[in-house]
């Protein structure tokens, strides 16, 4: 298995789904001894090598087989075909509360669980305080209560704390972390980083794609029990998201909700090059125009416009209230509102425009998300990575060459009539030199 911490080869797993009729005695007698069931393949021909010391993510839609694969790795399920090998001590955090005995206290469960995971009594006693400490105050307070009285977050905190104190070479973690609060999730992220620094391997299943992107080195996307894509986490996550958005936007134009007194008809991205240009350049001034139709008069309305990265990351939003802008009352019939963005300081990428209209008490009259895509390409000056375009340049400061002021692209008020795109400015400069 080379340098792999876990090696999965040709693994298939099926479940037998028994049909309803089999539940009755009469049905069983009528059919004789034959039981009727359908075979359902939850995993088909999975090949994976998870490198030692790396963090590996499993992602995919509900029911795609992620938990099943993790359980096979943890040897809780036995594959029907194929083999899984691993190297080193393994600990798994699967379903909430798995491995805990509900009638026993937190303290008793820590001892039981740690022993099952291979810790000696002396080792557990030495680490007990640290285990409870990591699990947090609420757990510490209830450590002598039966865990059946714990909240699901408390369960997960204690379970996770035990798993990491076992100091496993390989840690398997299913979605459960999502149950924890923000503080705990941050604690877990730090712990994953520690584990990685120590050369340990972590396999996580998650729907929190932003988090996955930051801490996973590699990932596999499972689709209907098969690997749709495998490789560097960033790439796998991006193609999963693109695919999901593609499927969703093909099904309908955007995601909409609200009471409907006002309906947002569409958004437009307007630059000096026209309405909804194929691409917008970084630093380019843009107007985002929301077109709506009102069924009735709406006094004292407010509007929100926002932009999300195609990955789901919120890039920016503005609420007329926060901007201290008082829109006129909405009158029955069509209307529109512009947000003026002096310079679109986004790095190249794909983005969605979203917006909503609210009544005076804040109720959502209409909210339309993901109906318009905007593609941003590099502007001038060019920069390498990240989400924001800062318009930076390099310089070497020496006593002979005092610091030059950074030229600020897109600074000051912009008049769309006279605006020259940075792209064109770049051409001008090249011609001059
Ligand atoms: N014990 C079981 N008996 C029958 N079917 C099962 C069993 N366990 C899982 N399945 C089925 O296998 C498929 C994969 O389930 P799995 O729990 O692995 O999905 P998942 O990717 O973890 O989904 P989620 O994102 O919802 O957690 C599902 O269709 C599920 O119904
Ligand atoms: Mg699951």
């Amino acid at each position: 298995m080379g340098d792999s911490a876990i090696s999965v080869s040709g693994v298939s797993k099926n479940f037998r789904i028994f049909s309803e009729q089999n539940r009755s005695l009469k049905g069983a007698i009528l059919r004789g001894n034959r039981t009727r069931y359908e075979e359902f393949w939850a995993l088909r021909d999975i090949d994976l090598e998870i490198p030692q010391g790396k963090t590996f993510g499993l992602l995919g839609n509900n029911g795609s087989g992620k938990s099943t694969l993790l359980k096979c790795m943890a040897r809780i399920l036995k594959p029907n075909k194929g083999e899984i090998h691993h190297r080193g001590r393994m600990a798994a955090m699967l379903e909430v509360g798995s491995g805990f005995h509900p009638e026993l206290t937190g303290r008793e469960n820590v001892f039981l669980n740690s022993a099952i995971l291979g810790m000696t009594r002396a080792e557990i006693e030495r680490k007990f305080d640290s285990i409870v400490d990591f699990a947090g105050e609420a757990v510490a307070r209830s450590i002598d209560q039966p865990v059946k009285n714990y909240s699901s977050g408390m369960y997960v905190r204690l379970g996770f704390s035990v798993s990491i104190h076992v100091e496993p070479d390989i840690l398997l973690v299913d979605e459960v972390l999502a149950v924890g609060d923000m503080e705990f999730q941050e604690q877990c992220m730090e712990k994953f980083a520690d584990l990685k620094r120590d050369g340990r391997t972590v396999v996580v299943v998650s729907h929190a794609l932003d988090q996955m992107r930051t801490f996973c080195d590699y990932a596999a996307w499972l689709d209907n029990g098969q690997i749709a894509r495998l490789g560097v986490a960033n790439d796998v996550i991006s193609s999963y998201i693109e695919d999901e958005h593609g499927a969703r936007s093909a099904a309908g134009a955007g995601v909409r909700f609200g009471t409907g007194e006002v309906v947002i008809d569409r958004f437009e991205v307007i630059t000096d090059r026209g309405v909804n240009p194929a691409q917008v350049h970084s630093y380019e001034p843009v107007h985002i125009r929301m077109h709506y139709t009102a069924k009735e008069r709406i006094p004292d309305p407010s509007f929100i416009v926002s932009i999300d990265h195609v990955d789901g990351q919120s890039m920016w939003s503005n609420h007329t209230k926060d901007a201290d802008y008082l829109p006129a009352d909405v009158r029955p019939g069509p209307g529109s509102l512009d947000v003026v963005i002096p310079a679109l300081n986004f790095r190249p990428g794909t983005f969605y425009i979203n917006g909503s209209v609210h009544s005076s008490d804040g109720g959502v009259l209409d909210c339309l998300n993901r109906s318009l895509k905007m593609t941003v390409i590099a502007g001038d000056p060019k920069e390498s990575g990240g989400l924001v375009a800062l318009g930076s340049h390099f310089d070497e400061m020496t006593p002979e060459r005092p610091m030059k002021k950074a030229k600020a692209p897109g600074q000051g008020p912009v008049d769309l009539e006279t605006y020259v795109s940075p792209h064109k400015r770049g051409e001008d400069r090249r011609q001059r030199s």
Side-chain angles (χ1 to χ4, degrees):
M1 60 186 282
D3 280 340
S4 304
I6 304 176
S7 157
V8 178
S9 53
V11 163
S12 296
K13 172 73 194 164
N14 78 29
F15 294 109
R16 291 179 173 183
I17 317 273
F18 292 89
S19 57
E20 275 298 310
Q21 317 145 337
N22 286 324
R23 299 252 172 92
S24 75
L25 182 61
K26 187 180 159 202
I29 292 166
L30 285 178
R31 264 186 324 279
N33 242 343
R34 285 166 299 136
T35 26
R36 274 264 188 93
Y37 58 80
E38 273 173 46
E39 297 219 316
F40 171 78
W41 290 91
L43 294 175
R44 277 175 293 178
D45 264 327
I46 305 286
D47 289 309
L48 272 182
E49 296 288 327
I50 299 182
Q52 197 139 15
K54 301 291 178 193
T55 303
F56 190 96
L58 284 174
L59 54 114
N61 290 353
N62 296 131
S64 55
K66 305 178 295 294
S67 299
T68 305
L69 180 55
L70 216 59
K71 283 178 195 158
C72 289
M73 289 177 183
R75 299 186 181 276
I76 289 169
L77 288 176
K78 194 175 178 303
N80 300 80
K81 285 188 213 153
E83 288 180 2
I84 301 182
H85 297 284
H86 73 265
R87 203 203 307 257
R89 175 141 68 160
M90 185 183 256
M93 268 297 284
L94 301 170
E95 273 122 25
V96 177
S98 65
F100 276 180
H101 194 299
E103 300 295 337
L104 298 181
T105 65
R107 184 186 301 274
E108 289 161 341
N109 268 302
V110 168
F111 276 87
L112 180 67
N113 225 259
S114 310
I116 292 172
L117 289 171
M119 275 160 90
T120 63
R121 174 120 201 144
E123 206 180 349
I124 306 170
E125 268 162 11
R126 191 158 43 78
K127 289 180 181 166
F128 185 82
D129 288 345
S130 163
I131 292 175
V132 177
D133 196 51
F134 186 89
E137 250 172 65
V139 172
R141 229 180 296 125
S142 308
I143 196 68
D144 290 311
Q145 294 284 314
V147 297
K148 65 178 180 194
N149 297 337
Y150 283 20
S151 71
S152 40
M154 287 160 71
Y155 253 111
V156 166
R157 281 169 169 263
L158 190 58
F160 187 72
S161 186
V162 170
S163 313
I164 55 172
H165 281 84
V166 172
E167 293 175 40
D169 299 301
I170 302 170
L171 178 64
L172 309 178
V173 189
D174 204 339
E175 193 60 41
V176 290
L177 292 187
V179 182
D181 54 29
M182 228 158 84
E183 178 204 56
F184 181 65
Q185 288 189 16
E186 274 166 22
Q187 230 174 314
C188 292
M189 294 305 132
E190 278 169 30
K191 203 65 217 180
F192 287 154
D194 287 351
L195 289 167
K196 184 142 92 180
R197 244 192 320 277
D198 294 347
R200 298 171 199 273
T201 310
V202 181
V203 183
V204 278
V205 170
S206 181
H207 293 284
L209 301 177
D210 275 347
Q211 284 181 354
M212 291 263 261
R213 213 185 266 282
T214 55
F215 67 75
C216 288
D217 302 298
Y218 300 101
W221 161 17
L222 282 182
D223 184 28
N224 277 318
Q226 286 177 305
I227 292 182
R229 196 156 172 193
L230 176 68
V232 174
N234 222 359
D235 302 342
V236 175
I237 293 169
S238 293
S239 45
Y240 171 65
I241 290 166
E242 281 284 355
D243 188 77
E244 283 306 297
H245 281 308
R248 227 176 289 150
S249 48
V255 183
R256 182 193 297 276
F257 64 92
T259 49
E261 290 86 342
V262 177
V263 171
I264 300 170
D265 303 314
R266 64 185 193 282
F267 291 99
E268 285 171 345
V269 170
I270 304 168
T271 74
D272 66 321
R273 289 172 295 110
V275 176
N276 295 340
Q279 289 139 347
V280 179
H281 301 272
S282 297
Y283 314 116
E284 194 169 9
V286 297
H287 282 216
I288 296 174
R289 185 165 297 166
M290 180 199 286
H291 289 275
Y292 58 82
T293 304
K295 297 198 175 107
E296 58 192 65
R297 189 184 178 87
I298 308 290
D300 198 14
S302 62
F303 296 82
I304 300 178
V305 175
S306 68
I307 305 179
D308 291 348
H309 194 272
V310 70
D311 294 356
Q313 169 74 47
S314 163
M315 298 295 295
W316 162 90
S317 79
N318 205 355
H319 191 159
T320 48
K321 278 198 172 148
D322 292 328
D324 289 327
Y325 178 78
L326 285 176
D329 293 356
V330 167
R331 281 190 301 234
S336 73
L337 177 80
D338 275 30
V339 190
V340 180
I341 300 172
L344 191 75
N345 290 80
F346 291 175
R347 287 249 321 127
T350 305
F351 304 88
Y352 279 109
I353 311 288
N354 315 305
S356 52
V357 187
H358 302 258
S359 58
S360 59
D361 63 2
V364 184
L365 303 175
D366 195 27
C367 175
L368 179 60
N369 290 336
R370 298 200 183 121
S371 67
L372 180 64
K373 239 185 203 182
M374 172 176 74
T375 304
V376 175
I377 61 169
D380 179 40
K382 291 209 167 56
E383 293 178 311
S384 311
L387 291 174
V388 297
L390 298 179
S392 62
H393 70 272
F394 287 98
D395 206 345
E396 281 156 287
M397 251 60 77
T398 59
E400 301 81 57
R401 290 180 47 191
M403 189 155 134
K404 268 184 275 171
K405 248 196 154 174
K407 96 174 172 188
Q411 216 180 44
V414 173
D415 180 359
L416 278 179
E417 298 296 318
T418 58
Y419 171 74
V420 183
S421 86
H423 191 63
K424 286 184 197 153
R425 282 207 296 261
E427 280 167 9
D428 292 349
R429 203 181 49 191
R430 272 192 294 278
Q431 278 161 9
R432 258 181 283 139
S433 57

